[in-house]
Amino acid sequence: MATLPHPIPAPKILVRSSTSNPAFLASHRTLLLGDLAALSLRPRRSRRLGRRSWSSASVRAVLDFDVSSAALNASSNVSSRQRRQQDDDHRSKVANLSDIISERGACGVGFIANLKNEPSHKIIQDALAALGCMEHRGGCAADNNSGDGAGLMTSVPWDLYNDWASKQGLASLGRFNTGVGMIFLPRDERFMNEAKSVIMKTFSEEGLEVLGWRPVPVNTSVVGYYAKETMPNIQQVFVKVSKEENIDDIERELYICRKLIERVVKSEEWKDELYFCSLSHRTIVYKGMLRSEALGQFYLDLQNELYRSSFAIYHRRYSTNTSPRWPLAQPMRLLGHNGEINTIQGNLNWMQSREGTLKSPVWHGRENEIRPYGDTKASDSANLDSAAELLLRSGRSPAEALMILVPEAYKNHPTLMIKYPEVVDFYDYYKGQMEAWDGPALLLFSDGKTVGACLDRNGLRPARYWRTIDDVVYVASEVGVLPMDETKVTMKGRLGPGMMITVDLQSGQVYENTDVKKSVAAAKPYGKWLTENMRTVKPVNFLASVAMENEMALRHQQAFGYSSEDVQMVIETMASQGKEPTFCMGDDIPLAVLSRKPHMIYDYFKQRFAQVSLMPKMKQLPIQHDLFYSLATDVYQ
């Protein structure tokens, strides 16, 4: 049974002195377990289908009651009516509806972009300030300092790195042909050196020159107990890409190098301890298993006036599906994600099934070297980022890649069907090539040239944006993250389901949803391609007479696993209306693997949906008694 490590912060007002009595614990285990299960760990359905979360405030409320043995003995002498009144009073203190409603189980994200593409340290300061306001959006462990994750993506701060290079006696870093890698290395010094050797050897074999390694200056005093136990060795590597002149080709070469390194280290003992936060000529990611306000204190670079950027994407993580780890903090290499990808298993399977057929001239026959395109051990956000990065490095723009991966609900959309049929053609063209990465999902993304945000077609994540007279654009999952003079706001709005907004840092233009979609869809003749290549299967007429006797039809239905419910609610509806029926019901039948009745093969498989990682959230409770942590674990399991 897992227990909380020591030392543990002093408990707040929880189960009081009588819990130290072994007799009390033994005799009231059922009572406590029942209360904990019924009140604190009852799943709270949010507006997002398939998502369940638990309120840590509710758990604290359940444990915050006085159950001394004297009180229990006294209660036996009161009448049933009085006891019911006491129970009602007690429940009113436990189930505080406002506390439950105020809980949030979603990441906090946002970006700041300067339309003049002018790097400044103020962008970093504002991003850190906004990130600090997102603390309520993330989870935190029992030490109150180990967060689910926080991070920042910016353009590469060349002034800062050239200042470091000058102090090291190195030549100035070329801004047009140098890549920067932000790397989590193994903690063990021997393993770290082995990892660095593999990295340098791969770069050398690819014709890249390693210019130097820079240990990233950090302040470990702000790192929590749990995060420090797994904190990696954080260093940056600078490489010169001489054989490529085009910036997109440089990014592609760095991408290939990273994928080759990941393939080489798969057989190493320390393979899970090597992780590239970023490896790019344009962008860099500073992140960690930290709280929001600790990020800027941990990475001393972020406090340096020489750290300047024209944009910043910030992210505070609330872990789902996977337990917190340093590499899983966000932003990822391309995007920051608020939500869950409910179709993750199916999408990973489809990506894997297509790996052998995906080809593009830009890879010059090296497609095999950059596989696989997904990782079942990574989070849903990391896999979505991996798929988006593949499309981006294959020559697509960030907006196009996100439209392919996260399409809007375009069927029968009145505006699109009438005014922008080319956008419908775009979605129709790609619907047979890429499955939608459905969520609820809010995605912020950047390749260093474009910064943007989009919502999936469910639209169950808030995203507001505003532009000021100073030519700065802000997007955030909630308003109020930065003080704002309303007189300077020239544009504001919010993203709806399937909508997108992008900022072109090179032209200084802001493109709202319609403009983005039209621009992407008009780039290729998708309508012509559909007309020339798509074939439609036309429905056939019904048979004029019954072709099979009722008894024979029944035998066939039984042989193929059809029930009367399937026939009445599905088959008949499809035959009469020409579409798949939609209805909602509970699933109270036994799992196929446990059932005594015969089942079709597909009954043994179920779609896996996103689920909140409960135990990391439970750890943030200030519980000193291992018993209650064990009880929570029992209920969870």
Side-chain angles (χ1 to χ4, degrees), residues 189-208:
E189 186 174 358
R190 180 171 64 89
F191 290 161
M192 180 190 70
N193 291 330
E194 290 179 7
K196 292 172 73 171
S197 296
V198 170
I199 293 171
M200 289 189 290
K201 181 181 178 182
T202 304
F203 282 140
S204 177
E205 291 174 348
E206 284 294 304
L208 278 63

Side-chain angles (χ1 to χ4, degrees), residues 8 114 199 312 324 365 403 452 493:
I8 300 176
N114 185 299
I199 293 171
M403 284 176 64

Side-chain angles (χ1 to χ4, degrees), residues 502-522:
T502 63
V503 175
D504 189 325
L505 296 174
Q506 296 178 323
S507 67
Q509 297 296 315
V510 179
Y511 298 99
E512 295 187 78
N513 182 60
T514 303
D515 295 329
V516 178
K517 306 295 177 60
K518 287 194 302 181
S519 175
V520 171

Side-chain angles (χ1 to χ4, degrees), residues 201-459:
K201 181 181 178 182
T202 304
F203 282 140
S204 177
E205 291 174 348
E206 284 294 304
L208 278 63
E209 178 186 357
V210 176
L211 300 176
W213 289 87
R214 176 180 183 257
V216 179
V218 295
N219 174 16
T220 58
S221 66
V222 300
V223 181
Y225 174 85
Y226 304 114
K228 191 174 293 185
E229 287 291 299
T230 57
M231 189 179 79
N233 191 317
I234 307 173
Q235 296 194 25
Q236 292 166 342
V237 62
F238 299 89
V239 294
K240 185 177 181 180
V241 188
S242 302
K243 64 179 183 179
E244 303 290 355
E245 295 182 359
N246 182 278
I247 293 180
D248 289 334
D249 290 336
I250 292 176
E251 291 292 311
R252 192 173 297 113
E253 181 60 38
L254 293 171
Y255 174 76
I256 291 174
C257 287
R258 197 196 81 226
K259 299 292 284 188
L260 290 174
I261 292 168
E262 291 172 352
R263 286 167 64 97
V264 171
V265 304
K266 279 188 175 180
S267 60
E268 300 292 344
E269 181 181 347
W270 40 266
K271 63 180 184 297
D272 295 329
E273 297 183 62
L274 176 64
Y275 175 80
F276 281 82
C277 301
S278 59
L279 179 60
S280 171
H281 166 73
R282 295 192 184 109
T283 62
I284 193 161
V285 174
Y286 282 72
K287 67 179 184 178
M289 197 171 152
L290 306 161
R291 293 184 299 108
S292 296
E293 64 178 1
L295 182 74
Q297 302 170 27
F298 176 70
Y299 286 111
L300 302 183
D301 283 351
L302 300 178
Q303 304 172 24
N304 196 315
E305 290 287 340
L306 292 176
Y307 197 122
R308 304 186 185 103
S309 176
S310 57
F311 80 94
I313 293 178
Y314 54 89
H315 188 284
R316 177 67 168 106
R317 185 174 186 242
Y318 182 86
S319 66
T320 55
N321 301 307
T322 50
S323 297
R325 298 203 311 268
W326 281 80
L328 295 184
Q330 297 189 44
M332 295 296 177
R333 299 170 187 123
L334 178 66
L335 55 82
H337 174 213
N338 171 18
E340 302 87 28
I341 300 302
N342 290 332
T343 55
I344 182 63
Q345 190 64 54
N347 289 353
L348 284 175
N349 290 341
W350 277 114
M351 290 291 290
Q352 185 177 8
S353 69
R354 289 170 174 153
E355 283 182 356
T357 59
L358 292 181
K359 296 185 182 299
S360 173
V362 302
W363 299 112
H364 304 290
R366 304 189 67 179
E367 288 86 355
N368 284 333
E369 300 177 40
I370 60 175
R371 297 186 181 110
Y373 305 132
D375 182 1
T376 55
K377 295 182 180 179
S379 64
D380 49 359
S381 301
N383 279 293
L384 173 58
D385 180 82
S386 179
E389 191 180 22
L390 173 66
L391 294 177
L392 184 70
R393 301 303 174 218
S394 296
R396 290 178 168 82
S397 68
E400 182 182 4
L402 269 298
M403 284 176 64
I404 293 172
L405 289 170
V406 193
E408 60 184 310
Y410 67 96
K411 284 292 186 181
N412 301 319
H413 192 297
T415 303
L416 294 180
M417 300 293 288
I418 298 173
K419 293 185 177 181
Y420 311 111
E422 67 273 19
V423 178
V424 176
D425 291 339
F426 173 90
Y427 288 128
D428 273 335
Y429 179 80
Y430 280 110
K431 72 178 181 181
Q433 303 179 44
M434 176 63 70
E435 284 68 38
W437 290 63
D438 273 334
L442 164 61
L443 298 164
L444 273 66
F445 54 88
S446 178
D447 64 345
K449 297 186 299 182
T450 300
V451 188
C454 68
L455 276 180
D456 78 322
R457 53 188 170 185
N458 296 301

Side-chain angles (χ1 to χ4, degrees), residues 434-482:
M434 176 63 70
E435 284 68 38
W437 290 63
D438 273 334
L442 164 61
L443 298 164
L444 273 66
F445 54 88
S446 178
D447 64 345
K449 297 186 299 182
T450 300
V451 188
C454 68
L455 276 180
D456 78 322
R457 53 188 170 185
N458 296 301
L460 298 177
R461 284 290 184 271
R464 297 184 177 274
Y465 60 87
W466 57 102
R467 175 180 178 177
T468 67
I469 198 173
D470 303 323
D471 283 330
V472 179
V473 177
Y474 303 83
V475 173
S477 52
E478 54 222 279
V479 296
V481 293
L482 282 173

